[in-house]
């Protein structure tokens, strides 16, 4: 049925809250999304994107609150992104921890570049480390980044700085949700993203180390990050 919709450009798939939809049998591996598809929005579905991959020319992908075999791991997200080089906007809920063997091999995966991506939103659950997504994916045009982690997980501060230093994208909007103190190294990100227009830090502790890093020093050669 999907392959017959040869002109469709936007598709929303949702299971809503009715348990009977969990029993839906999705298309077989021989089925493909139409090549015309530009926007794919999956909400609370069991649709497995590795079994039914989106077309490579897809420009927008949103995977929200997936369930069952539709859930995504960091490894799965890396594989998916490596096959979607035309993405301009992407939002992923990552809810499956990578096992120890796979997690160890992540550092050996090839680097992926998404040359058109301008918006990325990542939400991840307990016991999940999304650092490889910042380490192994280059996004030179990224202007909007949202990282929202489970309250028991860490914010990948060093990987965020590595990404900012490596790609130096034209960041305009940055939203971070997490717990604990803000790492002082985050100030270096802000020095790189000096044209940032909107910064949101939610549920973090503004400790003295971070505030000290923001405070301009006497005879500081660079312009102060926060003018006083």
């Amino acid at each position: 049925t999907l392959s017959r919709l040869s002109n469709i450009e936007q598709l929303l798939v949702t299971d809503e809250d009715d348990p009977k939809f969990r029993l839906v049998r999705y298309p077989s591996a021989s089925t493909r999304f139409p090549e015309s598809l530009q926007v794919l929005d999956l909400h609370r579905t069991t649709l497995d994107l590795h079994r039914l991959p989106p077309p490579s020319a897809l420009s927008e992908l949103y995977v929200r609150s997936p369930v069952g075999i539709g859930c995504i791991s960091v490894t799965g997200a890396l594989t998916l992104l490596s096959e979607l080089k035309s993405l301009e906007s992407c939002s992923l809920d990552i809810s499956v921890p990578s096992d120890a063997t796979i997690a160890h091999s992540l550092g050996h995966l090839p680097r992926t570049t998404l040359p058109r991506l301008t918006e990325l939103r990542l939400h991840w659950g307990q016991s999940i480390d999304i650092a490889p997504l910042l380490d192994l994916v280059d996004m030179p045009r990224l202007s909007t980044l949202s990282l929202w982690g489970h309250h028991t997980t860490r914010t990948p501060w060093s990987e965020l700085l590595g990404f900012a230093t490596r790609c130096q994208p034209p960041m305009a909007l940055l939203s971070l949700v997490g717990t604990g103190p803000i790492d002082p190294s985050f100030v270096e990100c802000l020095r790189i993203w000096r044209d940032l227009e909107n910064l949101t830090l939610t549920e973090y502790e503004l400790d003295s180390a971070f505030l000290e890093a923001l405070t301009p020093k006497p005879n500081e050669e660079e312009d102060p990050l926060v003018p006083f």
Side-chain angles (χ1 to χ4, degrees), residues 59-219:
S59 61
E60 298 181 30
L61 174 64
Y62 308 104
V63 181
R64 300 173 291 144
S65 304
V67 294
I69 61 172
C71 291
I72 298 177
S73 67
V74 170
T75 310
L78 285 168
T79 302
L80 188 62
L81 293 175
S82 70
E83 298 168 350
L84 299 174
K85 300 296 180 64
S86 296
L87 276 182
E88 298 175 9
S89 180
C90 181
S91 179
L92 298 176
D93 284 4
I94 300 175
S95 53
V96 179
S98 297
D99 62 46
T101 303
I102 294 176
H104 178 72
S105 65
L106 284 174
H108 303 288
L109 292 176
R111 186 174 301 283
T112 293
T113 299
L114 300 177
R116 301 182 183 180
L117 193 70
T118 60
E119 299 182 5
L120 176 65
R121 295 173 177 82
L122 299 176
H123 181 273
W124 65 97
Q126 189 173 5
S127 303
I128 294 175
D129 181 8
I130 65 150
L133 287 168
L134 296 175
D135 271 342
L136 297 174
V137 182
D138 290 341
M139 300 166 274
R141 295 186 59 188
L142 196 69
S143 60
T144 297
L145 176 62
S146 176
L147 302 178
W148 187 338
H150 187 274
H151 66 86
T152 63
T153 61
R154 73 177 186 93
T155 299
W157 298 112
S158 60
E159 291 81 8
L160 184 61
L161 176 57
F163 166 72
T165 303
R166 184 178 73 249
C167 297
Q168 299 197 13
M171 195 68 64
L173 188 153
L174 178 62
S175 176
L176 306 178
V177 179
T179 57
I182 297 171
D183 194 285
S185 66
F186 179 59
V187 173
E188 297 306 314
C189 290
L190 300 182
R191 292 190 186 280
I192 294 171
W193 294 327
R194 299 187 73 92
D195 293 329
L196 197 66
E197 298 173 3
N198 189 313
L199 172 63
T200 303
L201 302 172
T202 304
E203 298 184 14
Y204 291 104
E205 300 172 12
L206 290 178
D207 64 358
S208 58
F210 179 67
L211 294 176
E212 174 68 17
L214 284 178
T215 304
K217 308 297 186 298
N219 303 319

